[in-house]
Amino acid sequence: LYTLLSLVLCFSLAHASQNRKVLIIGIDGTRSDALQKANTPNIDTLLPNALYSYDSWHTAITWSGPSWASILTGVYWNKHGVSSNLFLGSKFAQYPPLPTLAKQIKPNLHCAIVAEWSPLIDNITNASWNSAVKTPDTETWITADSAVAQLEKPDIDLLFAYFDQVDVTGHSIGFSPDSAQYIGAIEPVDS
């Protein structure tokens, strides 16, 4: 159906003596070939200092719930239990999400999520977010501003910023990198 893309970006702040931070930019419904075709100068600037892949494969359920649960837990749906957007049968106590796992190693980490799709906050339980900000669905600018506000906090260690306008656009017109409207939904996220 479509490939979900999550860029995991590690970046250093102004001084080398500062701790490295993790920024996960989740752009639901974004095909990697469409991302490469889109005009994304800001994402392109982050890539030299990032961990990312254009070659991810999705062989299981391609719905948002199971896919993002897999991204955040590191296991497929047959382990984390999420097989639909209802999140029924989840096994997050057994397969905890990223912030919970990270805090098992470093308990004082400050982890935040900013998401346009509230089920990521409401239904991925046991996530140990210090801050969870729900923004209105398909409101790219509000989500971006909220993410920047989180990044400006001096104690932030990990931020997951989730955008869903591309997915909404793809569901209405198709997920084709040849569609100007689909590509056009990607570019505001970069801005």
Side-chain angles (χ1 to χ4, degrees):
L1 180 58
Y2 61 90
T3 302
L4 295 175
L5 175 68
S6 176
L7 296 175
V8 179
L9 304 166
C10 298
F11 63 94
S12 295
L13 296 175
H15 304 285
S17 63
Q18 292 178 323
N19 292 333
R20 292 178 63 84
K21 311 294 181 170
V22 175
L23 170 62
I24 303 169
I25 300 173
I27 311 171
D28 202 348
T30 303
R31 290 174 46 150
S32 60
D33 54 353
L35 181 65
Q36 290 172 318
K37 188 173 183 177
N39 182 25
T40 55
N42 295 305
I43 291 173
D44 295 344
T45 299
L46 294 172
L47 294 181
N49 296 308
L51 302 172
Y52 67 96
S53 173
Y54 289 119
D55 297 319
S56 64
W57 287 91
H58 200 298
T59 58
I61 303 166
T62 59
W63 291 44
S64 294
S67 297
W68 289 107
S70 291
I71 289 167
L72 288 172
T73 63
V75 298
Y76 282 121
W77 73 272
N78 61 333
K79 288 188 177 183
H80 61 61
V82 178
S83 60
S84 75
N85 286 344
L86 298 176
F87 290 83
L88 300 174
S90 64
K91 299 175 188 168
F92 295 126
Q94 187 176 355
Y95 298 99
L98 176 62
T100 304
L101 293 170
K103 288 180 180 188
Q104 288 174 0
I105 297 167
K106 205 169 182 185
N108 294 326
L109 288 177
H110 186 88
C111 303
I113 181 172
V114 175
E116 294 176 17
W117 191 51
S118 60
L120 287 176
I121 295 171
D122 297 339
N123 297 329
I124 298 186
T125 57
N126 191 31
S128 300
W129 300 111
N130 297 88
S131 177
V133 179
K134 295 177 190 177
T135 56
D137 202 31
T138 70
E139 291 292 335
T140 300
W141 297 111
I142 294 171
T143 304
D145 289 345
S146 298
V148 168
Q150 291 295 319
L151 289 171
E152 289 175 341
K153 293 180 179 181
D155 64 342
I156 191 76
D157 294 299
L158 181 148
L159 174 64
F160 175 35
Y162 169 90
F163 300 87
D164 71 351
Q165 180 61 55
V166 178
D167 191 51
V168 170
T169 299
H171 282 292
S172 68
I173 62 151
F175 296 88
S176 174
D178 296 326
S179 166
Q181 190 175 356
Y182 178 66
I183 294 295
I186 297 169
E187 294 172 354
V189 176
D190 179 77
S191 295

